Amino acid sequence: MKILYGVVGEGMGHATRSRVVLEHLTRQHDVHIVVSGRARDYLARRFENVHNIWGFTISYEGNSVSKWQTVLQNLKGAFTGWPQNVKTYFDLVDRFEPDVVISDFESFSYLYGKNHRLPVISVDNMQIINRCAHEPELLAGFEESFELTRGIVKAKAPGCFHYLVTTFFHPRVRKARTTLVPSILRPEILSATSEPGEHLLVYQTMTSNTQLIEDLRRCGRECRIYGYRRDLTADLRDGNLLFRPFSEGGFIDDLRTCRGVVGGGGYTLMSEAVYLRKPMLSVPIGGQFEQVLNALYLEKLNYGLYAKSLEGDVIARFLERVPDCQAALQGYSQDGNRVMLAALDAQLAAAAQRKGLAWDDVTVS
């Protein structure tokens, strides 16, 4: 089967989980990949037929999205990137002619499938916002942000052949053609052995978030910080803070042996922390409700703590709750990626039987 696989390039979480799916697919199928941003280089080192396209980017200020700068940045990118997208579009049509499309929240591949009346399978965690029912008590105070985000997610890829939604929490599914599956985890995470430790693992990629560093300094506990100092080639010690250059092996080792995790609300790190049964203090990026929803469910399950910022005694309260969170996390388990990949294979088989179905015959919801 010929598969066009689209990966959104904003953040590396989509790329790392797509790597797992692509390693599975490329053993059996002919796959072409369209991807933007940093994710392109990551996937191009591992797979053939990786096509670079322009994609949406987000600009940050402090721990929040800078909406105006994001608009300007993407307007500029659209003018310079869209012509190349069109060229890529026609090149793929002429050379590849896929049978099915898989989209990890990526618009180009979705539109390609729609325009060519191909089955599109959505594989991502974002669709849980639109395709599941969430308790009003959980969303209290966030109703406006939720409805805005739900509208955006719904418009991103409506009317797919099927939606495989990766998740560690399980709200009620409210839409047809939707299956909740366990988180997609890197093989390095699956093979890691969780051990008790005392340090905090901190993941922070926004170098403008200086307040976070001051808050961590005050907590007194050793904090091993990744992503904040991108210029580093070796560890840099500053009191209780240890700034570390990026190393996949080093990061996973610090994750599997930490007392707890401090990070944003991104799904990938959160799902890895849950799998390794490490409590997490989640401080979502302002203006990204998807991260807030992840953090709200994390706290509801007692797997960690949600906080708007680290001001005051937040870290101390988190550390006090760590034992209770560890106990709650003992109840979490998943059989690697087996369930998710089996579900994907089943949908590919079903899509192969339905190839050529007119999009007008699909109920868009």
Side-chain angles (χ1 to χ4, degrees):
M1 179 181 289
K2 293 183 178 181
I3 300 173
L4 177 65
Y5 197 108
V7 184
V8 69
E10 181 62 31
M12 288 299 293
H14 296 273
T16 56
R17 73 181 180 203
S18 290
R19 164 203 162 190
V20 173
V21 180
L22 287 165
E23 285 174 346
H24 173 74
L25 293 175
T26 53
R27 296 189 191 106
Q28 310 168 58
H29 306 287
D30 185 7
V31 184
H32 278 237
I33 305 161
V34 289
V35 59
S36 61
R38 290 187 299 145
R40 189 267 173 192
D41 294 334
Y42 176 85
L43 293 175
R45 291 195 297 269
R46 293 165 171 82
F47 303 100
E48 298 178 351
N49 303 317
V50 177
H51 305 268
N52 188 38
I53 58 172
W54 174 80
F56 181 80
T57 59
I58 298 176
S59 180
Y60 301 97
E61 182 177 351
N63 193 44
S64 299
V65 174
S66 175
K67 295 180 181 179
W68 179 240
Q69 187 60 36
T70 294
V71 170
L72 294 177
Q73 187 171 282
N74 283 282
L75 283 174
K76 179 180 179 181
F79 280 115
T80 58
W82 180 249
Q84 182 61 38
N85 276 18
V86 173
K87 181 178 183 301
T88 301
Y89 174 89
F90 285 109
D91 286 348
L92 287 173
V93 170
D94 292 339
R95 296 199 308 266
F96 189 47
E97 298 182 348
D99 301 306
V100 65
V101 172
I102 300 175
S103 174
D104 186 338
F105 212 62
E106 197 279 314
S107 297
F108 174 79
S109 56
Y110 166 81
L111 292 173
Y112 178 94
K114 181 175 180 179
N115 289 332
H116 290 79
R117 298 191 173 191
L118 299 176
V120 179
I121 300 171
S122 170
V123 178
D124 73 79
N125 64 291
M126 297 282 287
Q127 289 293 340
I128 203 166
I129 298 172
N130 174 50
R131 306 195 71 80
C132 289
H134 306 280
E135 297 174 0
E137 295 80 8
L138 186 78
L139 301 176
F142 298 101
E143 291 87 353
E144 184 176 344
S145 296
F146 168 71
E147 290 299 336
L148 175 61
T149 304
R150 188 169 73 88
I152 293 171
V153 171
K154 181 178 181 179
K156 184 77 171 182
C160 286
F161 180 81
H162 201 85
Y163 296 83
L164 295 175
V165 184
T166 58
T167 181
F168 64 84
F169 50 92
H170 292 83
R172 178 177 60 84
V173 174
R174 71 183 189 91
K175 286 181 174 286
R177 306 190 317 280
T178 305
T179 304
L180 303 186
V181 294
S183 306
I184 300 171
L185 299 169
R186 295 177 279 170
E188 293 84 358
I189 294 294
L190 293 176
S191 63
T193 300
S194 182
E195 297 180 6
E198 293 303 319
H199 66 273
L200 293 177
L201 171 72
V202 182
Y203 182 65
Q204 173 61 254
T205 59
M206 286 178 291
T207 58
S208 59
N209 192 3
T210 56
Q211 184 60 48
L212 169 70
I213 302 303
E214 294 307 312
D215 293 331
L216 292 172
R217 197 187 309 278
R218 287 197 302 272
C219 84
R221 183 177 292 265
E222 176 165 322
C223 300
R224 300 179 186 177
I225 304 169
Y226 286 85
Y228 189 79
R229 293 288 302 272
R230 301 179 189 177
D231 58 321
L232 293 181
T233 57
D235 289 350
L236 176 64
R237 170 74 68 177
D238 181 5
N240 64 308
L241 308 183
L242 181 63
F243 295 92
R244 312 203 76 174
F246 179 76
S247 160
E248 185 172 36
F251 182 87
I252 292 173
D253 193 55
D254 283 340
L255 174 59
R256 72 175 187 86
T257 59
C258 70
R259 178 72 169 169
V261 178
V262 179
Y267 183 78
T268 299
L269 176 58
M270 193 177 291
S271 65
E272 293 177 348
V274 168
Y275 178 77
L276 291 173
R277 298 171 179 169
K278 297 295 182 179
M280 181 171 179
L281 172 56
S282 176
V283 187
I285 296 171
Q288 289 202 19
F289 179 76
E290 176 258 337
Q291 293 199 2
V292 173
L293 188 67
N294 293 338
L296 290 172
Y297 274 107
L298 182 84
E299 183 169 271
K300 178 180 178 177
L301 293 167
N302 201 23
Y303 292 170
L305 183 68
Y306 159 62
K308 293 182 179 180
S309 72
L310 295 182
E311 295 177 351
D313 64 345
V314 171
I315 296 179
R317 288 194 292 111
F318 169 64
L319 291 171
E320 288 178 1
R321 288 185 58 174
V322 162
D324 287 341
C325 294
Q326 289 173 332
L329 284 161
Q330 292 305 308
Y332 181 84
S333 65
Q334 69 176 79
D335 186 6
N337 297 312
R338 184 187 63 82
V339 172
M340 186 275 151
L341 294 176
L344 178 58
D345 287 343
Q347 291 305 322
L348 286 172
Q353 297 178 352
R354 297 281 298 278
K355 184 189 172 186
L357 178 67
W359 277 82
D360 291 343
D361 295 335
V362 176
T363 301
V364 177
S365 64

